[in-house]
Amino acid sequence: MDNLKIYSQGDIDRLVIQREGETKLGKKVAVMSSGEELQNTNAKFVLLGIPEDIGVRANAGMAGAASLWRPALTAFLNIQSNRFLNGEEVLVLGHFEIDEPIDSSIKALRDKVAEIDDLVYPIVEKIIAAGKIPIVIGGGHNNAFPIIKGASLANQAPIDVLNIDAHADLRGLEGRHSGNGFSYALKENYLGHYFMYGLHQNYNNEAILSQIDHNPKLNAVFFEDILTGRDYNGLFEALGSTTGLEVDLDCMENVLSSAETPSGFEVNDVRKLILTHARKFSYLHICEGATRMLDGRVDNLTAKLVAYLVSDFVKSHTS
């Protein structure tokens, strides 16, 4: 049965590497035994994992995104607790345990993604309703839809989203998958304005480009325009008071993912964006990265990259 596994302190301790004279974040983060404790924790951020790649496969992509959560959590928990980041700011809630469908057909995978949607959004809604900021590590970009839905329901209004991504993920309403989370969020009126930053001209089809041209809710900045030196600082000024931040790791050069690219943002470009603008965002969703792909590619540095992005996000809210 699909469920949310809530972590105990023992679950956290097993991931922390002990050294004399050092204190790691894993010794400072909060845990809880039930959802009712969300209201009472002093932690401002709630860390949650969705280790699945069913949505990626439902979009004809390669499996691998399910591998990211545990190594990324381990990397985060082994950051030093110090004056810059104590660790008490974060509650590690746990991760979703999601059964693989017996039927591996595209239709069955898409039906399963819809089930994952229904599993995820109530938890996100509960986190935000408790006054906390979710930090969600995926998993495929299909999970943008239930995160947006949960945030919208908690706020009782559509929310804005900034997506740093090579792909708009505005494919058709053909059954749920990693390429149409924003399409469904728009259709069901959970998504207000959708800002896309760093889209690649080569990898967004003409139907999607036409949507962007004709829907006033959609605003896109292409990576090729950034390369030519155009200034888009005004984009960040346009973000609403309730805006979610989506970071698809395939927007960065040579980061292991189903859509790994040799051309994209450098890691420090994205770190700088988060460090500069994090206070504008009501959640962070990091997705599509992997430490191991089905075709045998392996890169454990993806986990450390996620730890940097998460710690930057928390520091920028608390500094």
Side-chain angles (χ1 to χ4, degrees):
M1 293 289 292
D2 299 342
N3 68 91
L4 172 64
K5 174 180 170 53
I6 296 176
Y7 286 7
S8 67
Q9 188 59 52
D11 293 321
I12 300 297
D13 289 343
R14 283 189 283 274
L15 301 179
V16 178
I17 300 169
Q18 304 275 20
R19 284 199 185 94
E20 187 177 349
E22 296 183 349
T23 302
K24 304 290 183 63
L25 295 189
K27 291 299 182 181
K28 294 287 189 176
V29 297
V31 296
M32 67 181 200
S33 58
S34 70
E36 284 64 40
E37 294 179 34
L38 271 175
Q39 297 279 1
N40 301 323
T41 180
N42 290 326
K44 183 175 182 178
F45 303 88
V46 177
L47 191 58
L48 178 64
I50 315 179
E52 61 78 35
D53 46 36
I54 297 168
V56 174
R57 286 180 279 140
N59 191 30
M62 183 178 295
S67 68
L68 182 59
W69 161 248
R70 187 176 176 88
L73 176 63
T74 301
F76 178 75
L77 294 175
N78 283 285
I79 292 174
Q80 298 287 340
S81 172
N82 57 31
R83 68 184 70 179
F84 300 107
L85 183 62
N86 180 279
E88 294 176 355
E89 306 91 341
V90 178
L91 182 147
V92 181
L93 179 57
H95 74 268
F96 291 100
E97 295 184 324
I98 299 168
D99 293 336
E100 282 287 326
I102 296 173
D103 183 353
S104 61
S105 69
I106 289 292
K107 182 183 184 304
L109 293 174
R110 291 178 179 181
D111 290 345
K112 182 66 179 185
V113 173
E115 294 178 15
I116 296 170
D117 293 343
D118 289 340
L119 186 68
V120 171
Y121 87 79
I123 303 301
V124 173
E125 181 182 5
K126 184 175 289 188
I127 292 169
I128 294 175
K132 309 302 180 184
I133 298 175
I135 298 175
V136 184
I137 299 173
H141 216 160
N142 45 289
N143 295 306
F145 171 64
I147 294 169
I148 293 166
K149 179 176 179 178
S152 174
L153 292 174
N155 286 282
Q156 299 182 326
I159 68 162
D160 293 348
V161 170
L162 172 66
N163 181 24
I164 307 173
D165 197 345
H167 314 93
D169 291 341
L170 285 169
R171 292 184 180 275
L173 303 172
E174 56 196 6
R176 290 284 294 113
H177 57 65
S178 64
N180 61 17
F182 300 100
S183 304
Y184 277 85
L186 284 166
K187 174 181 178 288
E188 299 192 18
N189 201 36
Y190 298 124
L191 179 57
H193 287 89
Y194 177 31
F195 301 90
M196 295 152 273
Y197 190 67
L199 297 188
H200 286 206
Q201 293 175 357
N202 291 0
Y203 296 103
N204 289 275
N205 65 41
E206 187 59 37
I208 287 173
L209 299 179
S210 181
Q211 280 190 69
I212 294 170
D213 285 343
H214 294 100
N215 188 336
K217 290 185 174 183
L218 307 180
N219 300 87
V221 174
F222 286 87
F223 189 71
E224 287 78 4
D225 292 331
I226 297 169
L227 288 177
T228 60
R230 300 185 188 180
D231 184 357
Y232 288 100
N233 289 331
L235 170 70
F236 298 98
E237 302 305 319
L239 301 177
S241 58
T242 305
T243 301
L245 176 60
E246 301 274 339
V247 180
D248 187 318
L249 294 180
D250 68 24
C251 76
M252 286 176 268
E253 292 180 1
N254 303 317
V255 174
L256 191 62
S257 70
S258 176
E260 185 175 2
T261 181
S263 175
F265 291 112
E266 295 181 4
V267 167
N268 287 342
D269 294 332
V270 179
R271 289 193 66 196
K272 181 178 179 181
L273 188 152
I274 291 174
L275 287 165
T276 305
H277 297 288
R279 289 180 182 272
K280 293 181 179 288
F281 301 111
S282 55
Y283 76 75
L284 171 63
H285 178 209
I286 300 172
C287 60
E288 296 283 337
T291 57
R292 181 180 295 274
M293 298 297 298
L294 182 63
D295 63 4
R297 287 175 291 154
V298 176
D299 190 347
N300 292 322
L301 285 178
T302 316
K304 194 168 185 178
L305 165 60
V306 172
Y308 270 114
L309 300 180
V310 172
S311 60
D312 288 343
F313 187 77
V314 174
K315 288 177 186 177
S316 296
H317 275 86
T318 55
S319 60

